[in-house]
Amino acid sequence: MPKKPLRDDDLPEEQAERQDRQERLESLEANADEYKQSWTATLEDMHALAEQREAEGWDVLELIAGDTAPMGRDTNDEEGEFGLSYVVGAEDAEAFREVFEAGEFPVYDVYRQTQMGHVFLVTELRDPDTEQVVFVAGAYVQRDEQMCAYTAREEGEMYTHVRKLDGTELGVFRHEGYEKFFPHADRMPDLAEGWTSDA
C-alpha cells in the first residue's frame, strides 16, 4: 500500500508553528478582558502625554498601530534591518508622511509595561527644531522580542519602522542606544544560553 504524501502542515516545524499559534490564541481568549484593559490604559497614557506636549506648544501626531512586531536581524545577514515595525492605517499614513518628511526627530522616549506576557508601549519621537512630536502606541508578545533585543544590544542602537498595511515603508527612525526599548537587554545571557523574560 503506497504511503500518503506528506502535506506541509504534517512537517514537524509546521506542526510546532500551528501549536504555537493555537496556544497564543487560547491565551488571548482566556485573558481577553485583562488584555483590553492594558491596551486601553496604554492609549490613555499616550493621550495624556500628547495633551501635555500640546500644552507645551508642540504639534502632536498620535498613531495607533494595527500591528506591532519586533524584528531581529537574521544571523546570516549582517546588514539586515531590525527594530520595531508598526503598521498604520491609510489615513494615519498620510498624516505621518507629512510630519516625517518635515523633521529629523533625534529625541525619543519609550513608555513600556509588561502584562500577561505582552509588552504594551508608547514611543515618543521629538524634533525640537520643528517642535513636532509623534507618539506611536503598540503591543506585542514579549517572547517575540528576543532576537530584536539581542541585535539591538550587539549594535548599540535601535530602529523604529512605520509601514502601511501593504508593507510600504513610510519612515525609519534611528535611536542611539536600546535600553529604553529593552531595559533587561544588558542582563541577557549570550544567545546560546537562552532567554530571560522580565515579565
Side-chain angles (χ1 to χ4, degrees):
M1 182 174 178
K3 292 183 179 179
K4 290 174 61 179
L6 283 175
R7 299 180 321 209
D8 285 346
D9 58 3
D10 290 327
L11 299 174
E13 58 269 21
E14 294 296 330
Q15 292 174 350
E17 286 182 15
R18 190 169 64 248
Q19 183 176 351
D20 183 58
R21 286 195 300 269
Q22 184 63 30
E23 288 175 357
R24 290 188 188 197
L25 181 60
E26 290 173 358
S27 176
L28 277 176
E29 289 175 349
N31 299 286
D33 289 342
E34 191 174 347
Y35 181 92
K36 287 178 183 176
Q37 290 172 5
S38 296
W39 180 234
T40 299
T42 300
L43 298 183
E44 289 173 351
D45 288 346
M46 180 175 71
H47 297 326
L49 290 164
E51 288 177 0
Q52 180 180 334
R53 291 298 182 199
E54 285 180 336
E56 295 169 354
W58 294 76
D59 289 329
V60 175
L61 175 64
E62 296 178 68
L63 301 175
I64 300 173
D67 183 63
T68 305
M71 302 184 302
R73 177 182 292 162
D74 188 295
T75 54
N76 297 319
D77 183 6
E78 295 182 359
E79 301 301 320
E81 65 182 13
F82 66 95
L84 287 179
S85 174
Y86 296 97
V87 174
V88 298
E91 203 170 295
D92 284 340
E94 290 307 311
F96 171 78
R97 196 193 302 269
E98 290 181 17
V99 172
F100 178 77
E101 292 176 353
E104 296 294 328
F105 301 91
V107 184
Y108 75 98
D109 274 301
V110 179
Y111 309 91
R112 166 190 166 116
Q113 67 167 334
T114 57
Q115 296 283 343
M116 307 170 307
H118 286 75
V119 175
F120 298 87
L121 77 164
V122 175
T123 303
E124 178 183 13
L125 307 151
R126 297 195 303 276
D127 186 336
D129 290 339
T130 62
E131 294 189 325
Q132 301 244 7
V133 57
V134 177
F135 289 97
V136 190
Y140 60 85
V141 178
Q142 186 183 4
R143 64 183 173 183
D144 288 348
E145 71 183 14
Q146 176 178 354
M147 291 307 300
C148 185
Y150 275 117
T151 306
R153 185 179 72 173
E154 181 178 325
E155 297 297 329
E157 61 186 11
M158 183 61 179
Y159 290 86
T160 294
H161 303 258
V162 179
R163 294 185 165 95
K164 293 171 64 175
L165 185 59
D166 64 5
T168 302
E169 193 151 80
L170 300 167
V172 181
F173 302 88
R174 176 187 174 275
H175 312 295
E176 292 283 350
Y178 53 88
E179 296 86 352
K180 292 179 181 180
F181 291 96
F182 306 117
H184 55 282
D186 289 337
R187 303 194 307 271
M188 293 191 308
D190 290 337
L191 189 57
E193 297 178 25
W195 169 250
T196 303
S197 168
D198 69 350

